[in-house]
Amino acid sequence: MIDFDLRRLRVLREVEERGTLAAVAAALGYSPSAVSQQLSVLEREVGARLLEKAGRGVRLTDAGRLLAQHARILLAAAEAAAADLASLSGEVRGTVRAGGLQSAARRLLVPAAARLMLEHPLVRVEVSELELEQTLPGLRLGAVDLVVGDEYDGQPRPRPAGLCFAPLHEEPLKLVLSPAHPLARGEGPVALASLREEVWVASAAGTGHHTMVVGTCRTLGGYEPDVRHRSNDAEIQLELVRTTGAVGLLPVLTLPAADAALAIRDVAEADVRRRLVAVTREGPTAPALRALLEAVTDQVRRVG
């Protein structure tokens, strides 16, 4: 009979998701040699080869894929057992790890973490600023417990198996211009079609925000925007609008309450919106995670 070590099974699952030992090492905080050593021990324990080279990375053998399937079940069972035991004790304690894009981290996760420090001092909350694309593998593998992500009109996110997506907040997107821009003189909506010749600012290519800006300009304006500036930091995007006269399209949650150096206008052609979603793993919810979700939901009501 094989005595499975859950830590080594988690390493195998990381390899299945990430494809390179370097990526697994970065995700787990190990060195690549330590990851390789753990996998070698696991191969000896099960008496089968689990990995084979694939270009610059590795892939699972048939035995590796079979064991990874069972590893998913065993790791989920261990997590469920821990959640059930925590619930049985009636005490809210433990570690909960949350990640989210910048606006969600700043406006929702940070205030929620501060509240938990007061209400549940035995809970350790770890908050990271991460895009949804970066965090889903870690969420599926148990490295993260809660992700607050976003999706835009006409661009639904994939819904990977094993994850739960719950709506948190919905808000409009606003055009952000320099007050000196001719179209910012009035208070009314501004047509995207009239911004064809402008320089745009957006998040990095490959993010949901960048895809939304390009797609919205194509669909509503009929042109390919000149996205000359890129930053995942909304404050940097706003500063580029202030100082260079670039144009942005940003959710309300990222905008200041009042700023004389910015002109914030509605989009004339359509009501373009963003939704924030809370993403967790399927299965029992540990009390610490439940408390954080409640705090995030309350904070959504405050900012909404």
Side-chain angles (χ1 to χ4, degrees), residues 2-297:
I2 302 171
D3 291 326
F4 288 110
D5 186 309
L6 292 180
R7 292 170 300 178
R8 286 194 273 276
L9 291 179
R10 188 174 297 282
V11 172
L12 183 68
R13 283 280 293 118
E14 290 278 353
V15 173
E16 183 183 37
E17 286 284 336
R18 302 184 190 277
T20 69
L21 298 187
V24 173
L28 297 178
Y30 296 163
S31 67
S33 61
V35 170
S36 180
Q37 184 181 28
Q38 290 293 313
L39 293 168
S40 296
V41 172
L42 184 58
E43 286 183 327
R44 290 198 297 271
E45 288 175 341
V46 301
R49 188 180 177 192
L50 302 176
L51 301 176
E52 59 188 8
K53 288 187 178 297
R56 295 184 178 180
V58 293
R59 64 187 175 200
L60 301 185
T61 62
D62 289 343
R65 286 191 292 273
L66 178 63
L67 184 56
Q69 291 175 6
H70 288 287
R72 283 195 292 271
I73 298 170
L74 293 171
L75 291 168
E79 184 174 338
D84 287 344
L85 287 170
S87 298
L88 188 63
S89 71
E91 191 173 42
V92 182
R93 62 186 308 153
T95 298
V96 59
R97 301 173 181 86
L101 64 159
Q102 186 199 54
S103 58
R106 180 167 59 90
R107 299 291 301 277
L108 303 181
L109 292 178
V110 171
R115 171 177 162 179
L116 254 66
M117 289 176 63
L118 296 175
E119 296 181 355
H120 302 290
L122 296 179
V123 174
R124 173 189 171 98
V125 183
E126 299 178 5
V127 175
S128 300
E129 181 193 335
L130 294 167
E131 293 287 334
L132 186 62
E133 295 86 353
Q134 297 173 289
T135 50
L136 286 187
L139 180 62
R140 294 177 64 189
L141 293 165
V144 182
D145 304 300
L146 167 66
V147 174
V148 178
D150 60 356
E151 59 183 13
Y152 297 92
D153 284 346
Q155 299 169 32
R157 297 281 194 176
R159 296 289 194 264
L163 299 179
C164 298
F165 289 72
L168 275 179
H169 177 67
E170 184 171 323
E171 60 184 348
L173 294 163
K174 302 286 187 177
L175 283 167
V176 187
L177 304 92
S178 164
H181 195 287
L183 294 175
R185 291 172 185 164
E187 295 295 326
V190 172
L192 271 170
S194 65
L195 300 172
R196 176 185 297 270
E197 304 302 324
E198 302 298 329
V199 172
W200 286 79
V201 58
S203 297
T207 62
H209 181 261
H210 187 280
T211 302
M212 178 276 298
V213 169
V214 173
T216 303
C217 287
R218 287 172 179 170
T219 303
L220 299 181
Y223 59 90
E224 191 75 15
D226 178 8
V227 182
R228 200 173 300 180
H229 308 299
R230 297 173 179 84
S231 174
N232 292 346
D233 187 325
E235 284 302 318
I236 292 177
Q237 291 194 37
L238 292 173
E239 189 62 17
L240 283 162
V241 174
R242 295 184 188 102
T243 58
T244 72
V247 175
L249 183 59
L250 288 163
V252 169
L253 207 60
T254 66
L255 300 176
D259 189 331
L262 297 172
I264 299 170
R265 301 289 183 266
D266 291 332
V267 177
E269 290 91 343
D271 181 18
V272 188
R273 305 186 74 80
R274 174 179 84 156
R275 284 162 294 283
L276 295 181
V277 292
V279 193
T280 55
R281 286 183 299 281
E282 290 181 348
T285 303
L289 176 56
R290 190 179 306 118
L292 180 60
L293 284 167
E294 291 172 356
V296 169
T297 302

